[in-house]
Amino acid sequence: IFAVSGRFGGFKEQDQLIPWHLNKKFGTDVVGHGEKAEEKHCVVYKRFYHLFKEGETERLFEAAGGNTVRQSYYDHANWCAIVEK
């Protein structure tokens, strides 16, 4: 789960459209809202991401009920959680 701060951080808002580069081996034809990146020989799409703040994932798991958050930690710009149902 991407974090608001960190390697990709510095975002002011939690909901973002993040560029995603489609590898040229999967084709270079633009479909939908993609844009051709000639210099990289790929198509770039913007994907929606919700960037999580510290503690947000734990609160969501707890609110869902029926599970226990065993551990949560930050690793390489991601919030991670080990959850037991």
Side-chain angles (χ1 to χ4, degrees):
I1 301 173
F2 281 146
V4 172
S5 60
R7 185 172 77 192
F8 305 107
F11 296 104
K12 294 180 194 262
E13 302 291 327
Q14 286 183 268
D15 294 334
Q16 296 288 324
L17 291 174
I18 306 292
W20 177 72
H21 297 79
L22 179 65
N23 189 302
K24 65 182 177 184
K25 72 179 180 181
F26 297 109
T28 56
D29 292 333
V30 176
V31 178
H33 66 277
E35 297 177 7
K36 198 163 204 153
E38 295 292 342
E39 68 283 356
K40 295 185 179 181
H41 305 288
C42 67
V43 178
V44 178
Y45 293 93
K46 293 200 176 176
R47 297 196 308 177
F48 173 82
Y49 281 94
H50 177 78
L51 305 170
F52 286 81
K53 294 180 179 178
E54 183 174 6
E56 187 176 357
T57 53
E58 293 91 328
R59 288 190 295 278
L60 288 172
F61 281 118
E62 290 167 2
N67 57 61
T68 304
V69 177
R70 295 291 180 201
Q71 181 183 5
S72 64
Y73 56 94
Y74 186 79
D75 183 36
H76 300 287
N78 294 285
W79 286 107
C80 306
I82 297 173
V83 182
E84 183 177 305
K85 185 170 181 175

